[in-house]
Amino acid sequence: MFSKPFRVKSNTVIKGSDRRKLKADLLSAFPSLSPDDISELVPNKEEINVVKIYAHKGEAVTLYVLQKNPLFFELDKRLFPTVYLLWRHPALLPAFQTWPPVLQKLIGGADLMLPGVVVPSRGLPEVDQGDCCSVTLVNNKAPIAVGKAAVSTSEMTSLEMKGRGLCVLHTYMDYLWAFGDKSNPPSLSDPESEDQENGEECETSEQEAEMEFEKCEERQSPGETVSDPACCGLEELILTETVEDKGEPSSELEEEHQEEKKTPQEEMDALLLQCFFHALKSKVKKSEIPLLTSTFLRNHMFSCCPSGKQLDIKKSSYKKLSKFLQVMQQQYNFMRVKELSKGVESIVEVDWKNPDLRSFCVPEETRVETTTFQEEVEEESYHPPEITTLYSVSARVEPLFIDANKRKGATLHPAEVRSIITDYVKKNELVDTNNKNYVIINPTLCDCLLEKMEYQEVEFLKWDDVFSRTLGRMNECYQLVFPGRAPVIKKGRVEPIDISVASRGSNKKVTLIKNLEVYGLDPAVIASSLQHRVQASTVLQPVPGAKERVLVQIQGNQVHQVGNLLLDQYHIARKYIQGLDKASKSGKKK
């Protein structure tokens, strides 16, 4: 499941009520954990992050992260432990042993086949089909994979240990493991497996396991093969183990390996520092000082971000621009920041002779130089999303949908709603025998569709009224489907791209464009395209009260040009663009 990169939807801190619910769910899912163990895994005073992600095949998964390590993941309302948790509690799940060469196949997305399972003298653990299990390597009890039993233990024996044994969900060195601190499994010796490994059966079993997995790989689709990063990591692991077995020092190799490993936060810190140096050295002019810190970030640092990367201070260790600039001032003396007016900070002085600043080499490839290329790629590769209006079952109309097994919150197409309501009416024999265009109102329909003043008066409704009233009492939502991505369902009505014209000063006009992000459009790319089209200045501004929304402002009344760009090049449907009628009229009025 995690053999390929996943997409993070949200990352929030767990609430108190959710923390208590998580503890109860853990006790229910893993009865072997004591109350002290639960308190250790879900501490009351430490921050736990709830990260919602989409796997590469579109599965919605929830991660619970403590101290930068994911400990559990929730799939289909069921909790599974990660390897980070199992290394702390290796006996939490029934474990199946396998040979070290099999690990590479598991990392690539393969399931554990029964010929690859090492049967210890004590026998296989007792499991039923679908039970959560772990996988360990011979000579080490530290689990390296988590999955669900494909068959029960008795079936494994009856199948003579052939076929699929474990449906693997998560492994050591996959992308879920890489989301944590990337630590290696501890060494937990297993004397019984050591004795067993010395037997002659082991060589034969190991060869059979490899042959079975090779057959499985041949049957596997190309989309499920091992990803390059995981393979490289495995080769490094094997190399490290080989060096240690020979008794040679491996500290240099480990140091090089650690240098290559950087957390996303560390990468963002490095990118932030690079853009900071680049902006000071090649963008900011002495005549611009004093310079608003917000302008420095928006107009200078963002433009220095390399192509293919996105600068986001919230993902760095600084979290805020003010804290980052404070560190640059106090520890490195690159500049001086001062509050010239209440709540507004400005850069009032820059040390242009600072050795670190002077020695910084501006990267050859910058976002400014590659803007035109990025626009062409964006325009060629962009496809507008498919937008479908849906309706969510509300508490008021839920009784009408119970027979169809649709509970509160279920999303349905209008045609599905019509079909379910039709089935309900026919099943309860509510079609008027005298006039089949009318539906008899029973107590359930009365509660769901009628207002209080209509209870005593309305006994029949036309079919169209039944459907329209049902949809009117449901919650409207919409589904966005971008090519190659999982569908996204959002509440409310889809917001159109809003184009408006505002006045600035005595007789100056500016064009404002909002809601581009809803349609998967990058405001920076749109702003750059318009800037080249009309040869006018553009500015990106945060939208007040809307997180992660940016407003594009361009000088003059450019509604006509904006409309042409969105309609002709990005193929956005006209009904999703608001304000095209505000274009300036050509010619003079008589």
Side-chain angles (χ1 to χ4, degrees), residues 300-349:
H300 299 304
M301 288 184 65
F302 280 154
S303 64
C304 295
C305 186
S307 60
K309 294 186 178 181
Q310 185 176 2
L311 187 63
D312 189 346
I313 293 181
K314 290 183 179 180
K315 294 181 180 179
S316 70
S317 61
Y318 303 98
K319 305 300 181 185
K320 293 183 179 180
L321 176 64
S322 57
K323 185 177 179 181
F324 171 72
L325 294 179
Q326 185 180 10
V327 173
M328 295 298 105
Q329 174 180 324
Q330 294 178 354
Q331 296 186 13
Y332 302 103
N333 297 319
F334 288 125
M335 79 222 330
R336 194 161 62 89
V337 178
K338 189 175 180 182
E339 193 175 294
L340 297 181
S341 58
K342 189 175 181 180
V344 180
E345 291 185 336
S346 298
I347 299 173
V348 295
E349 186 181 333

Side-chain angles (χ1 to χ4, degrees), residues 496-540:
I497 296 176
D498 182 55
I499 306 172
S500 59
V501 179
S503 298
R504 295 287 187 269
S506 57
N507 195 27
K508 291 183 179 179
K509 303 286 186 183
V510 292
T511 304
L512 307 175
I513 313 164
K514 292 190 296 185
N515 302 331
L516 292 168
E517 297 89 348
V518 175
Y519 300 84
L521 294 170
D522 186 349
V525 174
I526 298 295
S528 182
S529 299
L530 291 170
Q531 188 175 15
H532 286 87
R533 276 174 172 249
V534 301
Q535 296 299 307
S537 64
T538 59
V539 178
L540 297 177

Side-chain angles (χ1 to χ4, degrees), residues 348-550:
V348 295
E349 186 181 333
V350 177
D351 183 7
W352 306 104
K353 296 181 181 180
N354 187 286
D356 293 328
L357 183 59
R358 295 183 68 176
S359 62
F360 176 76
C361 296
V362 176
E364 294 180 2
E365 181 189 0
T366 64
R367 177 170 289 184
V368 175
E369 294 169 351
T370 58
T371 299
T372 305
F373 172 74
Q374 287 182 7
E375 290 168 17
E376 293 173 358
V377 172
E378 179 80 13
E379 291 169 7
E380 289 175 6
S381 60
Y382 175 81
H383 295 281
E386 293 181 14
I387 303 174
T388 307
T389 301
L390 301 175
Y391 290 88
S392 172
V393 177
S394 63
R396 179 167 181 178
V397 299
E398 185 180 14
L400 301 177
F401 294 87
I402 289 177
D403 291 343
N405 200 25
K406 302 294 181 184
R407 299 290 179 176
K408 179 183 174 182
T411 53
L412 302 167
H413 289 269
E416 292 179 289
V417 176
R418 193 181 187 94
S419 175
I420 291 172
I421 295 301
T422 302
D423 292 343
Y424 174 84
V425 171
K426 291 181 178 179
K427 181 180 177 181
N428 290 275
E429 299 179 354
L430 298 177
V431 180
D432 187 9
T433 54
N434 298 324
N435 189 345
K436 294 189 177 181
N437 292 327
Y438 284 85
V439 175
I440 301 171
I441 301 301
N442 68 352
T444 303
L445 286 174
C446 178
D447 292 338
C448 293
L449 303 184
L450 300 185
E451 301 295 339
K452 287 186 178 180
M453 64 184 67
E454 297 176 322
Y455 283 179
Q456 303 299 326
E457 299 175 2
V458 179
E459 297 180 359
F460 304 93
L461 282 177
K462 288 185 176 181
W463 277 102
D464 288 343
D465 287 341
V466 172
F467 296 136
S468 61
R469 286 180 181 235
T470 303
L471 293 176
R473 284 155 177 75
M474 297 178 74
N475 300 320
E476 191 171 343
C477 51
Y478 61 94
Q479 175 179 272
L480 290 171
V481 181
F482 290 94
R485 299 188 198 172
V488 178
I489 296 177
K490 296 189 177 182
K491 296 179 181 178
R493 295 185 178 182
V494 62
E495 298 175 278
I497 296 176
D498 182 55
I499 306 172
S500 59
V501 179
S503 298
R504 295 287 187 269
S506 57
N507 195 27
K508 291 183 179 179
K509 303 286 186 183
V510 292
T511 304
L512 307 175
I513 313 164
K514 292 190 296 185
N515 302 331
L516 292 168
E517 297 89 348
V518 175
Y519 300 84
L521 294 170
D522 186 349
V525 174
I526 298 295
S528 182
S529 299
L530 291 170
Q531 188 175 15
H532 286 87
R533 276 174 172 249
V534 301
Q535 296 299 307
S537 64
T538 59
V539 178
L540 297 177
Q541 298 178 345
V543 178
K547 291 183 179 180
E548 299 179 358
R549 293 284 182 91
V550 176

Side-chain angles (χ1 to χ4, degrees), residues 12-25 42 50 64:
T12 57
V13 178
I14 195 169
K15 299 177 183 177
S17 57
D18 293 335
R19 190 188 297 263
R20 290 190 292 272
K21 182 178 181 300
L22 177 60
K23 287 184 176 181
D25 291 343
V42 189
V50 180
Y64 295 94

Side-chain angles (χ1 to χ4, degrees), residues 103-378:
L103 174 60
Q104 183 176 0
K105 314 293 183 183
L106 301 181
I107 292 173
D111 291 330
L112 179 62
M113 310 305 289
L114 289 175
V117 175
V118 178
V119 181
S121 58
R122 61 179 177 270
L124 294 172
E126 288 295 328
V127 296
D128 293 325
Q129 184 178 5
D131 283 357
C132 186
C133 307
S134 64
V135 181
T136 63
L137 298 180
V138 172
N139 285 344
N140 193 352
K141 291 195 297 183
I144 49 87
V146 179
K148 295 188 292 185
V151 291
S152 65
T153 304
S154 58
E155 289 175 305
M156 293 179 189
T157 308
S158 63
L159 291 171
E160 298 180 351
M161 297 302 289
K162 291 182 180 179
R164 195 180 307 275
L166 207 68
C167 299
V168 176
L169 300 175
H170 156 55
T171 67
Y172 164 59
M173 295 192 74
D174 66 4
Y175 281 90
L176 178 57
W177 167 84
F179 195 72
D181 61 12
K182 301 181 182 178
S183 55
N184 294 322
S187 180
L188 305 175
S189 60
D190 188 356
E192 186 171 347
S193 64
E194 286 179 6
D195 296 339
Q196 186 180 358
E197 191 186 18
N198 295 328
E200 295 180 357
E201 285 185 9
C202 293
E203 293 182 7
T204 307
S205 300
E206 191 168 353
Q207 290 172 2
E208 288 179 0
E210 290 192 74
M211 289 174 63
E212 184 70 21
F213 271 99
E214 285 171 5
K215 291 177 184 178
C216 180
E217 271 196 326
E218 290 173 4
R219 296 193 297 267
Q220 208 170 18
S221 62
E224 296 179 353
T225 55
V226 62
S227 57
D228 291 338
C231 282
C232 295
L234 181 66
E235 289 171 3
E236 291 171 359
L237 173 69
I238 294 171
L239 180 61
T240 306
E241 288 177 348
T242 306
V243 172
E244 288 177 354
D245 290 342
K246 291 181 179 179
E248 296 177 4
S250 60
S251 57
E252 294 180 3
L253 182 63
E254 289 177 359
E255 288 175 3
E256 291 176 5
H257 189 59
Q258 289 297 329
E259 288 177 1
E260 293 176 4
K261 292 180 181 180
K262 278 190 176 181
T263 64
Q265 191 177 74
E266 291 171 343
E267 291 177 355
M268 188 57 66
D269 286 351
L271 179 61
L272 190 62
L273 193 59
Q274 176 187 324
C275 295
F276 172 77
F277 278 130
H278 188 175
L280 284 183
K281 189 158 186 176
S282 61
K283 300 292 180 182
V284 179
K285 299 177 182 178
K286 293 183 180 180
S287 58
E288 292 183 89
I289 304 297
L291 177 66
L292 289 173
T293 56
S294 58
T295 304
F296 173 67
L297 174 68
R298 183 173 62 245
N299 293 353
H300 299 304
M301 288 184 65
F302 280 154
S303 64
C304 295
C305 186
S307 60
K309 294 186 178 181
Q310 185 176 2
L311 187 63
D312 189 346
I313 293 181
K314 290 183 179 180
K315 294 181 180 179
S316 70
S317 61
Y318 303 98
K319 305 300 181 185
K320 293 183 179 180
L321 176 64
S322 57
K323 185 177 179 181
F324 171 72
L325 294 179
Q326 185 180 10
V327 173
M328 295 298 105
Q329 174 180 324
Q330 294 178 354
Q331 296 186 13
Y332 302 103
N333 297 319
F334 288 125
M335 79 222 330
R336 194 161 62 89
V337 178
K338 189 175 180 182
E339 193 175 294
L340 297 181
S341 58
K342 189 175 181 180
V344 180
E345 291 185 336
S346 298
I347 299 173
V348 295
E349 186 181 333
V350 177
D351 183 7
W352 306 104
K353 296 181 181 180
N354 187 286
D356 293 328
L357 183 59
R358 295 183 68 176
S359 62
F360 176 76
C361 296
V362 176
E364 294 180 2
E365 181 189 0
T366 64
R367 177 170 289 184
V368 175
E369 294 169 351
T370 58
T371 299
T372 305
F373 172 74
Q374 287 182 7
E375 290 168 17
E376 293 173 358
V377 172
E378 179 80 13

